[in-house]
Amino acid sequence: MNWVGLNTLIKREVGRFFAVYRQTVLPGLITTALYIAIFGFTLEQRISEIQGIPYTMFILPGLIMMNTLTNATSNTASSMLQMKLLQQLPDLLTAPLSGLEIALAYIIGGAVRGMVNGILVLLLGVFLIGMPVNNLFGTLMFIFLVSWAFSSMGLLLGQLAESWDQLAMMQNFFLTPLSFLGGIFYSIKMLPNWAQTLSYINPIYYMINGIRYTVLGVSDSEVEISILMAIVLTIGFTLASILLMQSGKKIKN
Amino acid sequence: MGTPAIDIKGLTKSYGKLKALNGVNISIKKGEFFGLLGPNGAGKTTTINILTGLVFKESGSAKVFGKDTIKDFRYTRSKIGIAAQEFSVDWFFPIEKLLFFQAGYYGIKPKDAKPLVDSLLNRLGLSSKRNSRLRQLSGGMKRRFQIAKALVHDPEILILDEPTAGVDVELRRDLWKYLQDLHSRGKTILLTTHYIEEAELLCENVAIIDNGKILKMGAPKELTRELGEAGITVVLENLNGLNKKDLENYKYTSDKNRLHFSVKDPDEELPKIIRVLSNAGLHIQKIESNKSSLEDVFLNLTGKGINE
């Protein structure tokens, strides 16, 4: 294992998104603050509590999850695509770094961004609306697993994509809809039966309800299933992204 | 003879129907300055990309100091520094930081890389730009940065893919001087180029490549002697007193007061010709020599010019 190489690439990946924190860290915080302001001051008075939780607080764990997974995904996806398009990737591919080391460094970089964003939104909830955190360890664990899993997925997308357009399509047509339909803003018990059934095949539904359980103690899904799902996604995407990197598909001739 | 620094045998590679490499064999000794000379699309970049791991080979073998470039990639890649033809772009970090990253990929910690990073920035005239981003550098500076990046882990082999493509004359000469300096300090250098002058000036040995095949390999001087033809034109006051017997060893034509000689090696033949003509009491007014070059060799081998 080239530990210095791995460590260098992790530093580069983390340094990269911190260098443009206005694009990578602040937007999630501002959006969440806006949600809190809009729902807290206006809509919450007209929407009844869900499962005994005030509406703004109910949606916050979902927002943590959405911020976590979109940031983790876009960090690896855009960094990898950028490296490809700007001719930086040969610097890595000609260095004594294995596919495993390159993949791990990218995944860790994306996971750090996911976690930073998730934890900052969590703190925003705690400080702005006094959100209680029932199980801090479980919450952090969920943020970590989801960051890692979606960072790995982002790496897959970044390596396979050939243009920014393709990446944006994945984000806009799959990730965002699946997040919104995963129950950020509602309990799926409020949905008709067919829509509830559809929600069960949406992996993000389990992530949102998992963290909602660890933060607020309420959840539509069994918490064990949520944890299992997070672990399965993490292992699955990690293995897939490492294998794809080792294969050199789309990055070597 | 020791293990070659680079040993390529029977390398083939196709892109779809296009046969990019068609059984390439190259052997480069440690400390040698070697040129891979050929027109665009001849297979130069594909060859070095296979060596550095950017391109998968189809068949054949590529070894660096006797080790396989795939099986022992950590060893072989750590021995090679490559300055690619294309500039990479980085929006985020200053160039000094990029050099530290590059050293890091090769397992060198920043504190250990610092002396070499400083000396490379100095030597390549980039010291004052160490905190600049790549996009703020001129084309020539970017080229020098590419070379600094290739050398930051102090590799034994330096591979340069068209290092002087698109750079002005002054920088080209400066880079040549630097490469000669590196060579004199023992670095093995593999250079790809389609500039004849560059290969002739710098390289101890060259391989002429076209359509994925090595056509000829050897020292530039030997190749021009073997395959090049050059002309020497001598203008005289008049040809009175010329004894044809004196010139019987030469291929020449005469026209009024002009003699045109066709020779293999003008450096060697020109003084002899002058001596013969002077001894015959002829007054030389003007001499023109069209030096034989690798261009002639290339022409001779392929029937076309290198930049055609």
Side-chain angles (χ1 to χ4, degrees), chain A residues 2 12 82 88 91 101 253, chain B residues 56 74 89-91 149:
Chain A
N2 175 355
R12 188 191 183 287
Q82 199 169 57
Q88 293 170 323
D91 288 347
E101 286 152 2
N253 272 315
Chain B
F56 295 115
R74 283 194 207 274
V89 185
D90 186 285
W91 294 331
K149 203 170 65 175

Side-chain angles (χ1 to χ4, degrees), chain B residues 216-243:
Chain B
K216 199 85 192 169
M217 206 153 31
K221 258 219 146 118
E222 281 166 25
L223 292 184
T224 44
R225 198 167 297 157
E226 185 187 341
L227 292 158
E229 287 284 330
I232 296 173
T233 306
V234 184
V235 181
L236 301 150
E237 214 171 70
N238 53 59
L239 298 181
N240 299 339
L242 177 67
N243 187 346

